[in-house]
Amino acid sequence: MRRVGLRSGIAVLALAAVASGCAQGTTGPGAHGATGANGTRPTPGGQSPQGQAAGAKHTYAARTRAEYAARAAAARRWGLKKVPLTPPAPPATKPAITTREGFEVEDHEELGLPPVFTTVPTKDKVVFLTIDDGAEKDPAFLRMMRELKIPYTAFLSDYLVKEDYGYFKKMQDAGVALNNHTLHHPYLPDLSYGRQKREICGMQDVIEKQYGKRPELFRPPFGNYNRDTLRAAKSCGVKYAPLWSEEVFADHWDYREWDRDLHPGDIVLSHFRGDSDWKGTMPDMIRRFMNMVTQKGYAVARLEDYL
């Protein structure tokens, strides 16, 4: 393990040295009195605008190579078959999110209820990883996701996360959005409107108190909801109710669609679970997820960037 880190470090230093050498080669004694090939006089700093542009381009290329080398080293360290693909920049114009056909409730559109969807409409070859509940709190998972730079979205239930709010604060500090999965993970359609509202709005309050922000995303436990669920969610600030197209475990995948395949914009579900519940750990689940996604040519993007 130490040798991989050393090789990665040497590669980064070597790239930095190349970038430094190129930058030094564009200036020097006498440079202030020179003109460029097209007669352009250098800037007061001693480098022509063309030289500055070339230096910036070279520095960017060196940084990109260094970032790839670091990611490749992390992929080897965590046992991935291929280096994860880098997602495109977030879309400047967000796609219109509507409720999937057949997932509507009565007066869904008329009441302006949060859309329920399983896929984000996009042509980008990306999928979105979402992880529910909060039972397993594996430090190795946090390290793995940080080192691989894999974005994901968490949907939390208080009865599980309250054992260690600090674990999920580390997650938030790494850029992960923490969203609502109710206080106690009940089967919501069996509850009255008032009890559903306490479950959903109560979790909004917990997340705001512990993490400083009320979420805009809510996922109903088990993916089950009714009109009262969405009314209650809207009443406490929820704007979206994403479900999922696929579910990944440590040892297999489940699919909603008949073709049992990934599609651009698919939302993938997993859970905070370990080998006491699964045939493997959370890092095992991420390996299975990333190996499939990368092999099929997909990058993992951040769900919130598309909403």
Side-chain angles (χ1 to χ4, degrees):
M1 192 70 73
R2 246 192 314 254
R3 291 179 195 164
V4 173
L6 182 59
R7 287 198 298 270
S8 176
I10 292 171
V12 172
L13 289 172
L15 289 168
V18 170
S20 175
C22 289
Q24 291 170 1
T26 58
T27 60
H32 290 277
T35 57
N38 61 357
T40 302
R41 188 163 295 280
T43 61
Q47 191 176 13
S48 69
Q50 292 83 1
Q52 289 178 328
K57 185 174 181 180
H58 184 87
T59 301
Y60 172 79
R63 185 171 66 249
T64 300
R65 288 195 297 270
E67 289 172 354
Y68 180 84
R71 204 171 192 192
R76 290 192 298 271
R77 187 159 58 249
W78 289 103
L80 302 189
K81 294 179 180 178
K82 294 183 177 180
V83 180
L85 299 174
T86 301
T93 302
K94 309 300 183 186
I97 305 296
T98 57
T99 294
R100 177 172 172 164
E101 185 177 356
F103 287 59
E104 309 93 340
V105 298
E106 183 181 357
D107 296 326
H108 201 136
E109 188 173 345
E110 291 80 357
L111 293 175
L113 299 180
V116 181
F117 53 104
T118 61
T119 298
V120 172
T122 180
K123 294 182 180 180
D124 293 344
K125 202 166 183 184
V126 297
V127 296
F128 307 100
L129 177 62
T130 62
I131 309 180
D132 283 7
D133 64 46
E136 181 73 6
K137 303 164 185 69
D138 184 353
F141 167 76
L142 294 182
R143 291 196 304 273
M144 182 181 196
M145 301 304 271
R146 183 178 64 250
E147 292 176 13
L148 291 169
K149 302 187 186 306
I150 299 171
Y152 61 103
T153 296
F155 289 88
L156 305 180
S157 290
D158 189 53
Y159 83 107
L160 294 170
V161 303
K162 66 182 180 182
E163 301 168 1
D164 188 356
Y165 287 128
Y167 178 84
F168 300 95
K169 183 64 171 72
K170 293 175 184 175
M171 199 175 287
Q172 183 189 42
D173 290 344
V176 177
L178 306 181
N179 290 292
N180 191 327
H181 199 44
T182 71
L183 289 171
H184 302 101
H185 205 276
Y187 179 76
L188 290 171
D190 276 353
L191 305 183
S192 67
Y193 172 78
R195 290 179 64 190
Q196 291 198 53
K197 186 173 180 179
R198 285 193 292 274
E199 281 288 337
I200 300 168
C201 297
M203 192 60 196
Q204 294 285 88
D205 295 340
V206 168
I207 293 177
E208 182 178 33
K209 179 180 178 180
Q210 295 296 329
Y211 305 111
K213 184 179 180 181
R214 293 176 76 79
E216 295 186 347
L217 277 62
F218 160 71
R219 174 173 285 159
F222 316 107
N224 295 119
Y225 60 94
N226 59 16
R227 186 170 179 263
D228 281 347
T229 309
L230 300 180
R231 286 178 56 228
K234 180 184 177 182
S235 76
C236 47
V238 169
K239 293 185 178 180
Y240 302 97
L243 297 184
W244 61 91
S245 289
E246 295 87 23
E247 183 171 2
V248 61
F249 300 82
D251 63 336
H252 71 282
W253 285 71
D254 282 342
Y255 299 86
R256 187 185 294 272
E257 309 302 337
W258 64 270
D259 62 356
R260 298 178 62 80
D261 202 0
L262 297 176
H263 314 89
D266 274 0
I267 300 170
V268 181
L269 165 67
S270 193
H271 288 82
F272 291 98
R273 292 286 188 270
D275 52 14
S276 60
D277 298 293
W278 280 346
K279 295 179 180 177
T281 63
M282 290 198 71
D284 292 332
M285 177 273 291
I286 293 299
R287 271 187 286 274
R288 179 169 292 277
F289 170 74
M290 290 307 304
N291 286 340
M292 168 78 82
V293 166
T294 308
Q295 187 271 327
K296 288 183 173 288
Y298 286 85
V300 183
R302 185 174 181 268
L303 177 59
E304 290 78 6
D305 288 342
Y306 283 71
L307 302 180

